Amino acid sequence: MFLYNTLTKKQEELKPHNKEEVKIYTCGPTVYHYAHIGNLRTYIFEDILVKALRFCGYKVKRVMNITDVGHMTSDADTGEDKMLKGASREHKTVYEVADFYTKAFLSDMAKLNIEKPEILVPASENIDMYIQMIQKLLDTGYAYISNGNVYFDVSKVSNYYELSGKNQEELMVGVRDTVTFDTYKRNPFDFGLWFVSSKFENQAMKWDSPWGTGYPGWHIECSGISIKYLGEYLDIHCGGVDNIFPHHTNEIAQSESYLGHKWCNIWMHGEHLNDKNGKMSKSNGEFLTLSLLEEKGYTSLVYRLFCLQSHYRNQLVFSYETMDLTKKTYEKLLNKIKNIKENISNNDINIELTNIYKEKFKKSLNNDLNTSNCLTILYDVLKDEKLSNKNKIELVKDFDTVLSLDLLAEKKVDTSLEKYILEMIEKRKKAKENKNYALADQIRNELLEKNIILNDGRNGTTFEIKQ
Ligand code: AMP
Ligand code: ZN
């Protein structure tokens, strides 16, 4: 498999340390709010990677963290603590916020058919590992204590700028106006490993450490969790492009200094989903969630297809116009497959042709996860007259182990969409009881616009979704 490696800036053949099993670490969500659909794009790309590797015969071990402590709004060590921000917004404890948004994240993942990573761990449950790493970094001179906090000294590593491909001056340009540098650091890009003195006096999550009661920095979480669960050698590390600097840059610096050798061979980064105004981001306040899309009549898998139509390394601009087109494409595709499935007249399998298609599909995946080409191959299969209908369905089943678009599933109603429709039906019933017929009609029309038809019967109102 050939994958684009941010570290070397070229496509490279994957050569896992253990030939049979690929070890992957994927940075997880900071659970202070819902994931926006941009975040979900990154998780979809990672899901495709895992499934593509399996399609190509590898076993995969994937680990993901849940960031519930230590992440500041600036990604460097300044700004507000994201978890505290969530807690004060919702008048809840940090623990309640983390629990609520972790569940919301898992539900989004399930709706998008994203496989749950084999190991998914909250950052707050691995404190011993960070303490052990930080102690070694202090003992070996890579870290220092200043104003009570422990910092990593980036001047001690010669390859600090390799991943970003930018030097200190170039990186400073991006952050100079937005980040106030901590004056206790020796170099501007030094980063916190352990915070004791914090401007967040109300920091809820604190642990004892050799350097005082405090909490870990964000970057050490991913290094610690990865090394603890996947060992000293990692094959692939993923995230969105905004993770390249400082997060992944700092992960490499501390992990390799701790281990004393190269840590991870391939670094893969998903490009951003933008809206008309630029990068979609939670700190902007307004952002699109999967539930919002569902309320507007787009199922989660329409969004998955929307993402798969373009390459993960290309920026993607979100628009409702494109979502409408994708919705139509998805419905047509499902109908086409349903039609084929209902018209199987023999069980003929053309083995030679089947293998050719499978190889083509594999080749597209091997070419840095070219999912849009995989979709083209799927269409080629559906219209190939040399394949029996049975043969086509078998190939669709096979391809869907990677695409995960429920191509063969009986039409199922999205549970959250169903919830929304039932709420609307209830609201309409109340409106009719109150003789507010205008509102009742408005609700019916609103649903109709989303292709949802209400049928009033003797036993109440039922609904159907038009294809
Ligand atoms: P966060 O929850 O902010 O830590 O982000 C979770 C993941 O989403 C990270 O891998 C980010 O790099 C990624 N991400 C953030 N913004 C976007 C975006 N607009 N489009 C795609 N991925 C994003
Ligand atoms: Zn991370």
Side-chain angles (χ1 to χ4, degrees):
M1 181 173 280
F2 283 80
L3 301 167
Y4 183 85
N5 186 357
T6 311
L7 197 61
T8 55
K9 321 276 175 286
K10 58 176 196 258
Q11 264 199 37
E12 263 177 36
E13 189 175 0
L14 171 71
K15 292 184 181 139
H17 291 92
N18 169 348
K19 264 197 245 143
E20 253 115 69
E21 186 178 66
V22 183
K23 292 184 178 173
I24 304 183
Y25 185 85
T26 51
C27 290
T30 307
V31 281
Y32 73 114
H33 219 319
Y34 291 108
H36 62 58
I37 58 170
N39 302 134
L40 296 172
R41 182 187 184 202
T42 295
Y43 305 129
I44 290 172
F45 131 65
E46 294 164 350
D47 185 57
I48 289 287
L49 171 67
V50 169
K51 290 171 178 167
L53 284 164
R54 287 215 201 96
F55 195 88
C56 297
Y58 289 107
K59 274 204 254 163
V60 180
K61 187 164 183 187
R62 175 183 179 193
V63 174
M64 183 187 251
N65 66 307
I66 297 276
T67 299
D68 54 1
V69 65
H71 195 175
M72 305 300 140
T73 46
S74 77
D75 276 8
D77 301 325
T78 57
E80 279 180 87
D81 179 306
K82 290 190 176 187
M83 293 306 299
L84 281 183
K85 197 175 161 181
S88 75
R89 184 187 62 231
E90 300 188 7
H91 309 291
K92 288 183 184 165
T93 66
V94 164
Y95 292 94
E96 285 165 343
V97 170
D99 184 56
F100 180 84
Y101 289 111
T102 301
K103 285 187 181 131
F105 167 70
L106 291 176
S107 151
D108 283 350
M109 297 267 279
K111 283 190 214 160
L112 287 163
N113 281 346
I114 297 174
E115 194 179 297
K116 193 173 158 200
E118 201 181 324
I119 298 169
L120 181 72
V121 274
S124 60
E125 287 180 13
N126 295 281
I127 303 296
D128 288 355
M129 181 67 191
Y130 318 139
I131 290 179
Q132 183 207 315
M133 284 180 78
I134 296 168
Q135 189 58 60
K136 185 164 173 193
L137 291 172
L138 276 166
D139 294 345
T140 46
Y142 287 103
Y144 60 92
I145 297 178
S146 176
N147 189 33
N149 298 329
V150 187
Y151 294 100
F152 187 92
D153 184 345
V154 302
S155 70
K156 294 276 159 55
V157 285
S158 56
N159 61 347
Y160 186 71
Y161 298 97
E162 192 182 349
L163 185 72
S164 66
K166 291 184 177 156
N167 62 31
Q168 180 172 328
E169 253 322 292
E170 287 164 329
L171 288 172
M172 287 290 276
V173 174
V175 293
R176 194 174 278 134
D177 296 336
T178 50
V179 172
T180 330
F181 287 103
D182 179 345
T183 47
Y184 293 104
K185 292 178 181 179
R186 289 183 192 159
N187 313 292
F189 290 137
D190 286 357
F191 54 92
L193 295 166
W194 189 268
F195 293 100
V196 172
S197 323
S198 163
K199 60 177 174 167
F200 312 111
E201 288 311 327
N202 51 349
Q203 174 66 31
M205 293 188 175
K206 286 183 198 166
W207 295 266
D208 287 338
S209 82
W211 322 287
T213 305
Y215 61 97
W218 172 42
H219 315 296
I220 195 78
E221 294 172 8
C222 287
S223 292
I225 292 175
S226 175
I227 295 169
K228 180 168 166 183
Y229 294 95
L230 292 169
E232 289 194 16
Y233 295 94
L234 185 61
D235 298 308
I236 307 176
H237 193 130
C238 304
V241 282
D242 57 306
N243 286 156
I244 297 173
F245 183 84
H247 187 47
H248 290 168
T249 297
N250 292 349
E251 279 192 50
I252 295 175
Q254 67 204 357
S255 297
E256 296 192 350
S257 306
Y258 169 75
L259 296 167
H261 58 71
K262 188 173 166 135
W263 174 42
C264 175
N265 283 342
I266 296 194
W267 288 80
M268 293 177 74
H269 294 98
E271 251 303 346
H272 277 159
L273 175 80
N274 297 325
D275 54 26
K276 292 190 294 290
N277 308 318
K279 182 191 164 222
M280 198 167 288
S281 127
K282 278 183 253 191
S283 39
N284 288 349
E286 276 276 298
F287 60 88
L288 279 173
T289 59
L290 202 59
S291 310
L292 199 70
L293 286 190
E294 285 169 341
E295 277 172 28
K296 290 186 184 289
Y298 308 98
T299 62
S300 314
L301 295 186
V302 169
Y303 181 64
R304 184 171 172 112
L305 177 60
F306 170 78
C307 293
L308 299 191
Q309 282 169 337
S310 66
H311 193 258
Y312 77 92
R313 289 190 58 233
N314 290 337
Q315 285 190 3
L316 183 56
V317 178
F318 178 85
S319 77
Y320 284 110
E321 291 74 35
T322 325
M323 282 299 283
D324 283 336
L325 287 176
T326 312
K327 188 176 167 183
K328 286 211 178 83
T329 307
Y330 185 53
E331 282 164 2
K332 273 197 204 154
L333 179 62
L334 290 187
N335 273 336
K336 197 175 280 188
I337 294 170
K338 188 166 168 256
N339 203 10
I340 293 173
K341 201 172 145 197
E342 285 170 356
N343 288 289
I344 293 178
S345 53
N346 64 59
N347 286 335
D348 292 350
I349 301 284
N350 181 334
I351 293 173
E352 200 184 329
L353 199 49
T354 301
N355 287 340
I356 291 175
Y357 276 119
K358 279 192 187 181
E359 271 315 303
K360 276 190 181 174
F361 193 80
K362 210 188 256 187
K363 215 168 144 194
S364 297
L365 292 172
N366 281 344
N367 181 16
D368 199 24
L369 312 178
N370 191 338
T371 48
S372 65
N373 211 38
C374 288
L375 291 168
T376 306
I377 296 165
L378 172 70
Y379 280 107
D380 289 345
V381 163
L382 297 180
K383 59 175 189 258
D384 191 331
E385 287 172 2
K386 292 196 280 312
L387 290 169
S388 72
N389 281 356
K390 167 81 178 166
N391 207 157
K392 288 180 186 176
I393 294 300
E394 289 303 314
L395 278 165
V396 170
K397 201 194 267 176
D398 207 29
F399 294 173
D400 208 33
T401 58
V402 180
L403 302 173
S404 300
L405 290 166
D406 284 357
L407 296 175
L408 284 165
E410 290 305 324
K411 206 179 100 193
K412 68 171 186 205
V413 179
D414 213 295
T415 47
S416 65
L417 178 66
E418 187 174 358
K419 192 168 152 250
Y420 160 73
I421 299 171
L422 294 177
E423 277 166 12
M424 294 300 268
I425 290 177
E426 195 50 37
K427 205 167 148 192
R428 181 166 165 266
K429 189 170 153 224
K430 291 235 168 72
K432 284 213 269 184
E433 280 165 9
N434 296 331
K435 304 209 174 352
N436 188 348
Y437 298 110
L439 179 61
D441 284 347
Q442 188 193 324
I443 293 172
R444 176 192 280 282
N445 292 337
E446 243 174 64
L447 290 173
L448 199 59
E449 270 173 35
K450 294 176 178 139
N451 288 339
I452 301 157
I453 304 162
L454 298 187
N455 300 312
D456 292 321
R458 226 181 296 158
N459 298 324
T461 306
T462 56
F463 69 91
E464 66 184 287
I465 301 176
K466 222 170 39 183
Q467 280 287 354

